[in-house]
Amino acid sequence: MMDYKIIKKCGRAKRAEVKTVHGTIQTPVFMNVGTAAAIKGGISTEDLQGIGTQVELSNTYHLHVRPGDEVVKKMGGLHKFMVWDKPILTDSGGFQVFSLAGLRKIKEEGVHFQSHIDGHKIFMGPEESMQIQSNLASTIAMAFDECAPHPCTRDYMEKSVARTTRWLARCQKEMKRLNSLPDTINPNQLLFGINQGGTFEDIRIEHAKEISEMNLDGYAVGGLAVGESHEEMYHILDVTVPHLPENKPTYLMGVGTPANIIEGVDRGIDFFDCVYPSRNGRHAHVYTHYGKMNLSNAKYELDERPIEEGCGCPACRTYSRAYIRHLLKAKEMLGMRLCVLHNLYYYNHLMEDIRHAIENDDYANYKKDALEKLTWGGEN
Ligand SMILES: [Zn+2]
């Protein structure tokens, strides 16, 4: 049960609404990454209500390892567990299996690997990933895929993508079965497929065409921002997105900077996620419309201004750069928390500006102006 409605198009940029059982998502949207069912930096579910978060993203692999998806299921699913009633997207665990876990062996049935916490052996394939995500009961589940290493040979990529397609068919079948079981918490769980192919454009295009025929709820472009240049990434979006269904949501996984998002929207992307705002915030790097600034810089020692003038976030409404800088220096947890709140507020409201620009049929001007400002450098 999903309803995707394009409200307005401006060039290739889409302004749409996605209706789910957990509420309506206004796109383009930036999902806030809460790896282990919490956003790092001491951010509570209550905080998310105040900074304009629409979708929370949790990681299947992390929750499977700790506390265990069976525990989450017994607690009534992720929504009830973390007390968040809006949409949640869970990734498939694939990315972490391929990037975090030690000693892995990829086979047709799935991947054998060791937990990064205690080294115990785990097996995850398409069916296991769907079962875990069904236990977590997220709004949107992601298909289990291989994010091939970058760079890799053409031969490796072809074989990997073909297997990812076979895995996708198994995910779809298993999700359908799980959604029909009487004790499934969210029988309306949606499934997004993932396009792969690295920077091989013909493999990307063929794969996009193939998975488009599978009538999934949405489509992601994965395996980007893994070491290729921004230009290569934009080019892959230019050639790939037109081969994904326009009447379904598109999701650019793990991307990225404010400029990457503005460019992605211009290429027809609806959903984004990235750890940058939370991770950078924890390291005193804060975003403004004029670029990023490093609050640990000595020049902010006596600066009475908020991080960004006019920002309505909980940090800027109340505290000065000087105070937050002091907290960070003193390793007070509040410093980190305020920076993460500011950054997520900034990203969530960047998306609001983007949506308004598309609605006003003014995306090209907005993009030019916003990208130019971002290069000014926030260190004022
Ligand atoms: Zn702020």
Side-chain angles (χ1 to χ4, degrees):
M1 196 219 88
M2 184 200 66
D3 182 24
Y4 178 78
K5 196 172 102 200
I6 297 179
I7 295 168
K8 175 93 185 166
K9 278 196 74 187
C10 183
R12 286 175 296 170
K14 296 193 282 181
R15 165 79 184 89
E17 262 179 16
V18 185
K19 282 200 180 117
T20 77
V21 286
H22 300 114
T24 302
I25 306 165
Q26 304 295 336
T27 82
V29 63
F30 180 78
M31 299 185 280
N32 294 189
V33 183
T35 307
I39 286 161
K40 289 187 199 299
I43 310 299
S44 70
T45 307
E46 232 173 348
D47 290 325
L48 298 185
Q49 311 280 4
I51 55 169
T53 304
Q54 293 196 69
V55 184
E56 194 269 349
L57 188 156
S58 282
N59 291 111
T60 288
Y61 168 79
H62 289 285
L63 292 171
H64 174 59
V65 175
R66 191 171 51 195
D69 48 288
E70 294 287 349
V71 170
V72 177
K73 184 173 187 180
K74 282 181 190 141
M75 294 305 294
L78 215 39
H79 283 91
K80 207 173 156 200
F81 191 43
M82 63 184 289
V83 199
W84 172 254
D85 60 5
K86 290 183 184 171
I88 296 177
L89 182 141
T90 42
D91 68 356
S92 69
F95 186 79
Q96 281 75 25
V97 168
F98 289 102
S99 64
L100 262 189
L103 289 176
R104 62 190 157 260
K105 206 167 187 178
I106 310 170
K107 291 186 165 174
E108 184 62 27
E109 66 265 28
V111 189
H112 296 269
F113 61 97
Q114 290 184 329
S115 151
H116 75 295
I117 307 252
D118 58 11
H120 83 273
K121 289 198 177 94
I122 308 178
F123 171 76
M124 203 189 282
E127 289 78 13
E128 288 73 17
S129 173
M130 293 303 107
Q131 284 154 14
I132 297 167
Q133 293 184 78
S134 179
N135 284 343
L136 298 174
S138 57
T139 315
I140 302 169
M142 295 304 297
F144 187 74
D145 65 331
E146 181 188 3
C147 181
H150 177 83
C152 74
T153 63
R154 186 180 173 87
D155 183 53
Y156 185 97
M157 188 59 86
E158 274 173 349
K159 286 186 176 125
S160 165
V161 169
R163 185 171 48 220
T164 284
T165 310
R166 292 191 296 275
W167 282 357
L168 179 56
R170 282 165 56 188
C171 287
Q172 195 173 24
K173 195 174 162 204
E174 180 65 5
M175 180 56 77
K176 203 174 161 194
R177 187 186 75 81
L178 292 164
N179 280 350
S180 72
L181 297 179
D183 69 333
T184 293
I185 297 172
N186 177 15
N188 295 299
Q189 194 165 28
L190 305 168
L191 177 64
F192 281 18
I194 305 174
N195 169 259
Q196 290 287 355
T199 49
F200 299 99
E201 45 179 283
D202 57 329
I203 300 179
R204 281 273 178 195
I205 293 169
E206 269 320 299
H207 190 231
K209 287 181 184 168
E210 216 173 333
I211 62 176
S212 293
E213 285 168 14
M214 296 173 74
N215 194 28
L216 295 153
D217 298 305
Y219 290 88
V221 181
L224 288 176
V226 291
E228 80 287 354
S229 70
H230 286 167
E231 282 60 41
E232 279 179 296
M233 175 171 82
Y234 299 149
H235 176 69
I236 288 300
L237 293 177
D238 279 332
V239 299
T240 308
V241 177
H243 296 285
L244 294 171
E246 197 193 43
N247 61 349
K248 297 278 174 76
T250 51
Y251 166 21
L252 176 56
M253 300 179 83
V255 176
T257 65
N260 292 157
I261 290 173
I262 291 167
E263 295 284 1
V265 167
D266 207 18
R267 288 162 175 82
I269 301 293
D270 294 283
F271 285 62
F272 297 87
D273 82 284
C274 190
V275 294
Y276 285 170
S278 46
R279 182 181 294 165
N280 284 328
R282 297 199 304 277
H283 294 97
H285 292 273
V286 287
Y287 289 87
T288 79
H289 290 84
Y290 302 96
K292 224 169 18 167
M293 40 191 279
N294 182 354
L295 272 186
S296 43
N297 204 313
K299 69 178 168 190
Y300 303 121
E301 190 177 13
L302 296 169
D303 198 330
E304 289 179 356
R305 291 174 294 173
I307 296 170
E308 182 161 29
E309 304 274 1
C311 175
C313 88
C316 294
R317 280 203 314 262
T318 314
Y319 303 106
S320 65
R321 294 173 179 182
Y323 178 62
I324 300 171
R325 177 178 181 278
H326 153 70
L327 294 175
L328 292 163
K329 289 270 162 199
K331 304 227 179 314
E332 283 294 339
M333 241 185 284
L334 180 61
M336 223 186 238
R337 189 176 127 74
L338 291 174
C339 289
V340 175
L341 283 172
H342 167 84
N343 281 354
L344 288 174
Y345 182 98
Y346 169 87
Y347 266 71
N348 292 335
H349 288 80
L350 170 73
M351 304 317 290
E352 200 174 293
D353 292 346
I354 286 173
R355 292 193 295 271
H356 284 151
I358 302 172
E359 281 164 16
N360 297 333
D361 210 12
D362 193 35
Y363 196 68
N365 283 326
Y366 166 81
K367 176 181 158 179
K368 189 170 166 282
D369 186 51
L371 290 180
E372 197 197 297
K373 279 184 189 160
L374 282 168
T375 63
W376 289 6
E379 303 280 352
N380 56 28

